[in-house]
Every structure is written in structure tokens, then in C-alpha cells.
Amino acid sequence: MSKSFVELNDVKLRYSEGDELALETTNMKIDKGEFIAVVGPSGCGKSSLLKLVSGLMPPSEGNVIVDGKEVSGPLKIVGMAFQNPTLLPWRTTLDNVLLPMEIVKPHRNRLRKHRAEYEESARKLLATVGLEGHEDKYPWELSGGMQQRASLCRSLIHEPDLLMLDEPFGALDAFTREELWDILQNLWMIKPFTVILVTHDLREAAYLADTIYVMSKRPGKILVERENTLPRPRDQETTFTQPFTDLVHELRSHIRDVREA
Amino acid sequence: MKKKLNLRKATPWLSAIGLFVLWELIVRIFNIPPYVLPTPSESIIVGWQFHEAIWMHAYHTLYTTLAGFAIAVVFGVVLGALVGSSRAIYDAANPLLVGFNSVPKVALVPVLVMWFGIGTVPAIITAFLISFFPIVVNVATGLATLEPELRDVLRSLGATRRDILIKVGFPRAMPYFFASLKVAITLAFVGSVISETVASNVGVGYLMLSASSKFNMPLVFAGLLVIAVMGIAMYEIFNVIERRSTKWANRGNPTN
Ligand SMILES: Nc1ncnc2c1ncn2[C@@H]1O[C@H](COP(=O)(O)OP(=O)(O)OP(=O)(O)O)[C@@H](O)[C@H]1O
Ligand SMILES: [Mg+2]
């Protein structure tokens, strides 16, 4: 019997009546604690896929099952981060990171009384992404990369079972990006949570994911499901090894086929 | 640096003084009779002669304006919150609001007089009617322009509409709200003075009307100056409040 954490069964998505499908019959099975990456051409429905899984949008056909239950409204435990950090400019970095605690149960009822304890864990998390000493700054006082780190902390602070990342490193320089790969991989290895990462960067997919899905042009559907068994923790060295470069080349040729199709 | 700052502070005063000097010179050079256009010095002198009466009327106008403005703030925030947080209410209310805003409020004063009689009540209502619109629009805009991604982040944490409104909507709408107060308070003055002019026996508007019927032009202009000064003072107060309370909206840019 299936014991997947996330399951998409013959899911189709159409934004409005008479429109072309945004997502063509899609099936996926993601295990608990699995790190998957989705790659594909622009407009193929990757962001839509995230919205379907997190219950922000219902599928037009088929169903989405998370943790054994059919998704019928927004899940309440998902962490999300986007390319745009979307921090609240009137809150300090620390307060931005604590935002989920003000919303998610049971934390929202405990926060006032145990504020110090929550702040402590937020500070700790910020330190792991290299933002020690910046807790009391406002987002506009941080660089883009620092804001993105804070945004990542905000998506993780409540220890979500499911993390949705929509090109979170897309706007960063190569060094910061690879540094954040390591940070994310570390956090995930210490206490695995299920991750769906949407990315344009094939090296990023190969570096981070256990399974990589390649999607077709609109109407998007999954064309390739590729296991990635490179040993963990992966690091800079891994990216120079033959298996890694082979994997990236293979993914690249899939994408090329998709684009030409 | 310091010198530059002082100069910036002095600029509005200099321009005001410059305007008065120019006005004074034009009247004197072209020998314009006072019943057409009095000099500012004359207006100020006459204003001082009548200062007790002016003070009484100005106080009344200020009271009327602030009362109408206060109602406009409460009403504007509530309506703005409704319009800004629900698509359906927006669709229903928008044409009505725009239509209502296009009606010149002076045309409503006779109606208000029929209902409430001559005096303070129509003036307060006129001040309210003329000033609530920008508040509604700005509050609604601030609430409605929430980034969809941020909304997704919050909803997938299990946030209710109320959570989103309190945690993000209202703080985000604050700069819009305060910006609208500056506009609304000056409009409220327009409203109360219009109504006093048409239908009252107190207030600066009434004072000016009665002065002009006695051909006392300097007193009319003294009244105008008093209104202008009150308007500027109120605008400045709300300007300061805005800057103090929404520093983040300037993203730390050093705007004086
Ligand atoms: N709100 C919407 N209403 C109508 N159509 C939409 C909406 N959002 C997305 N679409 C369409 O659905 C398709 C998939 O969009 P989606 O945002 O999921 O693509 P994507 O794979 O994330 O693209 P990108 O890589 O550029 O972010 C696109 O062709 C887009 O035009
Ligand atoms: Mg996208």
C-alpha cells in the first residue's frame, strides 16, 4: 500500500473555463522526508503545482493527498519561500522570522507567555544561516541575499512537515546561492522534512534533490522522474565528480528535448 | 550640511513672506482700491482689530471641521477596510463611491439645511462628506495591494482572513492611511467653510460672508488668511504624525 506523504493522482489544472490546461494529467508520489526538485521551462506550471500541493488552489480534476488526507483547503503547516523574500518592512528580522509562530497552532497561543524561548530558537536559526547580529535590523537594511536567508528562516521556524521552495535562490549570486544550498542541506539532514523545490538551475536540483522531475512545456506534465543517489552530504567536491556532471548533462538534454518538442 | 538643513527649513517661510511682499507691492503700485483687493498688511491690521470675533468664529470652524473629520476617519477606515478586504464589497461599493464623490458637496448643503436646520450640524456633515472619500480609497488600496506571494505564505500557515488583516493588511495600509489624513483634513476645512458660508450664523465662512456684504474686504481676506493658517497647521500636524508612525515606509531614506 502507498505510504507516500504527498500524492498527486491524475491531477489536471485549468485556470479558467475554456483555457488551455496549465497542468496535464500529473501523478507524483513523494515520501516523507524526501527532497524533490522540479525543473522545466518557464510557464509549464511549476508554481501552480506548489499551489495545488499546498491546497491554495483546488485541482480541476484528480486529487491531491497529503499525509493520508485529501487536500481540500490550505494546509496549515506548510513553510514557503519564494524568489522574492516578501519580508514585512515594519518588522525587524527577528520579528519577521517569528511571524509563523503568531499564526500556526499551537504556537500562537503559547507565544506571548514563552516569548523568550521562541526568540531564542529564532536567533539560533538565524545564526545557522549566517545572520547573527542582524536580528534587530529591518529588512531594508539587509542585502538581497541576507533577506533571502531570513525568508528561508521564516519558512522553517515552525518546523513544517512540508517545505515549498519556488526558486528561492534564483535572484542570488552564485557564491551566496551555493552557500545557501549547503545551509539548506544541513538543516534538512539534521531533521528531515519533505521538500518540493522548484528551480531553473539544474546544478541546484542535482546538488539538493533525491528525486528530480522534469516537466514539459505548457500544458505541463511530468516527462522524466530521475533518482539522484549521489551520497550526502554533498559539497563543492561533489560538483566536480563525474556522476554529478553526468547527471547535470542528462537533465540538460531532457530540457533541450522539452524545449524543442 | 547643517546650513543646508536650515535653509530648507526656512524655505517655506521665505516663500510665504515673498508672496505677501509681492501682493503688497502689486496692490500699491497699481493702486488697487481696498474694496477690490486689500493689501495683506491692511488685512492683518483689520484682522487684529476684530481678533476677538475672528477667534470666536475660527474656534467654531475648527471645532466643526475636526468633528466632521473625526467622523470621516472612523467611517473611512471601516468602509475602506470592508472595500479593501473583499472583492464583492469592492465591486458593489465602487460605483456608488465614485458617483457620490463626483457630486459637488455644496449642492448638498441646502438638503442638509432642510433636514437639520441652519447651523453647526450641516457644517459638520458637509466636512465629513467631503473628506471621507480619500480615506476610504487609501485604506482600501493599502489593504488590497498585498503581494499574492505573501498571502500564500500566510494562508499556507493556516492564517484566517482576520489574521492576514491584522498581521499584514493594517500595518501595510498605515502609510496610505496617514497620507490620506493630510488630504482629508484640508478637504474637511473646505467642507465646513462652504457650509458656514451658505447656511450658518457662526464660523469663519459666515464671518467672511457678512463682512463682504458690508464691503469690508480686508476682513474677508483676514478670514481667508485665518483659514489658510489653520489648514497649514493641521496639515503639518498630520504630516509629523505620518512621519513618526510609518518610518519604515521610507525604507530608512533620510527624508528630512
Ligand atoms: N492566476 C492565473 N490565471 C490564469 N493563468 C495562470 C495563472 N497563473 C498562472 N497561469 C498560467 O498557468 C501556466 C503555469 O503557470 P506557473 O506560474 O505555474 O508557471 P511556472 O512553471 O511557475 O513558470 P515560471 O518558471 O516562469 O515561474 C502559465 O502558462 C500561466 O500563464
Ligand atoms: Mg513560477
Side-chain angles (χ1 to χ4, degrees):
Chain A
M1 260 325 320
S2 80
K3 53 177 185 50
S4 331
F5 187 59
V6 177
E7 243 185 78
L8 276 72
N9 299 314
D10 294 327
V11 166
K12 292 186 195 179
L13 177 72
R14 196 188 300 275
Y15 269 98
S16 49
E17 210 60 42
D19 256 19
E20 190 189 1
L21 282 174
L23 217 53
E24 177 62 271
T25 323
T26 299
N27 287 286
M28 270 175 124
K29 281 190 192 330
I30 307 170
D31 289 335
K32 191 156 185 110
E34 189 179 355
F35 198 133
I36 72 133
V38 179
V39 297
S42 184
C44 71
K46 302 183 294 295
S47 301
S48 309
L49 185 71
L50 291 193
K51 285 189 191 160
L52 285 174
V53 175
S54 50
L56 294 169
M57 231 165 36
S60 310
E61 281 174 46
N63 60 39
V64 180
I65 293 173
V66 174
D67 204 9
K69 284 185 284 288
E70 181 165 350
V71 175
S72 59
L75 298 175
K76 302 195 166 158
I77 37 116
V78 180
M80 273 194 163
F82 298 91
Q83 176 165 353
N84 164 3
T86 62
L87 299 173
L88 306 179
W90 57 89
R91 286 176 170 236
T92 62
T93 305
L94 187 69
D95 287 339
N96 262 293
V97 172
L98 284 172
L99 178 68
M101 297 313 210
E102 297 171 18
I103 293 169
V104 174
K105 288 172 192 162
H107 304 294
R108 63 184 297 162
N109 305 319
R110 295 188 70 232
L111 182 62
R112 206 184 289 264
K113 269 201 178 147
H114 303 82
R115 178 114 198 148
E117 176 189 316
Y118 281 103
E119 278 189 9
E120 191 48 41
S121 68
R123 277 175 203 280
K124 228 180 245 162
L125 187 57
L126 282 165
T128 60
V129 301
L131 280 182
E132 205 162 7
H134 299 286
E135 297 91 344
D136 298 323
K137 291 196 176 147
Y138 288 89
W140 75 80
E141 298 173 301
L142 304 179
S143 71
M146 290 156 88
Q147 290 182 31
Q148 199 51 269
R149 289 163 203 247
S151 168
L152 198 59
C153 289
R154 184 182 65 187
S155 70
L156 288 169
I157 184 74
H158 56 296
E159 304 193 338
D161 292 331
L162 192 53
L163 180 65
M164 306 277 185
L165 300 174
D166 197 344
E167 298 177 43
F169 313 126
L172 304 178
D173 65 276
F175 299 110
T176 310
R177 192 183 311 154
E178 298 190 6
E179 192 189 334
L180 284 172
W181 293 353
D182 284 333
I183 288 168
L184 180 59
Q185 178 179 242
N186 266 332
L187 289 167
W188 176 81
M189 284 181 73
I190 293 168
K191 195 162 184 271
F193 38 87
T194 311
V195 188
I196 304 181
L197 167 71
V198 166
T199 177
H200 280 139
D201 182 347
L202 302 179
R203 292 179 69 247
E204 181 169 299
Y207 196 96
L208 288 169
D210 298 322
T211 313
I212 300 158
Y213 293 85
V214 180
M215 288 179 66
S216 71
K217 282 196 294 207
R218 181 174 186 176
K221 65 193 283 188
I222 288 161
L223 291 183
V224 181
E225 179 181 342
R226 174 67 159 83
E227 296 278 319
N228 176 7
T229 52
L230 291 170
R232 294 197 190 255
R234 300 170 190 156
D235 56 20
Q236 274 278 273
E237 285 309 312
T238 316
T239 64
F240 302 126
T241 60
Q242 196 62 42
F244 184 89
T245 43
D246 285 348
L247 175 57
V248 173
H249 276 142
E250 187 193 323
L251 293 172
R252 183 148 294 143
S253 70
H254 288 312
I255 293 282
R256 197 178 310 119
D257 295 345
V258 167
R259 291 174 58 105
E260 278 164 12
Chain B
M1 185 65 212
K2 185 101 201 241
K3 214 167 183 176
K4 222 172 164 182
L5 217 75
N6 283 337
L7 193 66
R8 276 204 62 187
K9 281 208 170 130
T11 319
W13 295 101
L14 291 176
S15 65
I17 292 168
L19 179 69
F20 281 136
V21 170
L22 192 68
W23 174 1
E24 184 91 30
L25 285 176
I26 289 176
V27 173
R28 282 177 194 270
I29 290 170
F30 295 102
N31 222 348
I32 300 173
Y35 56 84
V36 176
L37 181 63
T39 62
S41 55
E42 217 175 341
S43 306
I44 290 168
I45 290 167
V46 171
W48 180 249
Q49 282 167 0
F50 287 85
H51 75 270
E52 272 174 26
I54 290 186
W55 174 247
M56 190 274 282
H57 288 293
Y59 179 80
H60 195 269
T61 298
L62 185 64
Y63 160 77
T64 311
T65 304
L66 288 180
F69 174 71
I71 302 171
V73 170
V74 174
F75 182 79
V77 167
V78 172
L79 191 59
L82 290 173
V83 170
S85 54
S86 153
R87 185 80 221 174
I89 299 179
Y90 174 87
D91 289 339
N94 199 38
L96 294 181
L97 278 170
V98 172
F100 181 78
N101 193 46
S102 328
V103 174
K105 301 304 171 295
V106 68
L108 293 178
V109 177
V111 179
L112 294 173
V113 170
M114 292 283 282
W115 290 347
F116 301 105
I118 277 183
T120 311
V121 177
I124 292 178
I125 296 178
T126 313
F128 154 66
L129 289 177
I130 207 170
S131 65
F132 82 87
F133 187 73
I135 303 179
V136 173
V137 171
N138 272 34
V139 170
T141 308
L143 290 176
T145 51
L146 176 64
E147 293 126 300
E149 288 160 354
L150 189 54
R151 189 194 307 273
D152 286 352
V153 168
L154 292 164
R155 284 181 60 209
S156 58
L157 291 167
T160 58
R161 284 167 78 97
R162 194 163 151 269
D163 287 335
I164 296 179
L165 212 58
I166 291 171
K167 299 289 177 200
V168 187
F170 283 126
R172 239 188 75 84
M174 275 313 199
Y176 295 84
F177 170 64
F178 282 112
S180 74
L181 291 188
K182 293 191 297 192
V183 179
I185 187 71
T186 40
L187 286 177
F189 268 108
V190 173
S192 57
V193 173
I194 283 178
S195 180
E196 285 167 1
T197 310
V198 180
S200 182
N201 40 28
V202 271
V204 180
Y206 166 76
L207 174 77
M208 283 159 53
L209 189 77
S210 69
S212 76
S213 70
K214 291 171 198 140
F215 298 102
N216 188 350
M217 274 315 245
L219 186 55
V220 174
F221 274 81
L224 283 177
L225 289 178
V226 167
I227 295 170
V229 168
M230 288 196 297
I232 294 172
M234 284 296 151
Y235 183 93
E236 251 330 292
I237 288 173
F238 284 104
N239 199 15
V240 170
I241 294 176
E242 177 188 7
R243 284 214 304 270
R244 292 264 162 91
S245 49
T246 56
K247 262 195 219 119
W248 60 266
N250 299 318
R251 301 290 194 271
N253 284 340
T255 50
N256 63 41

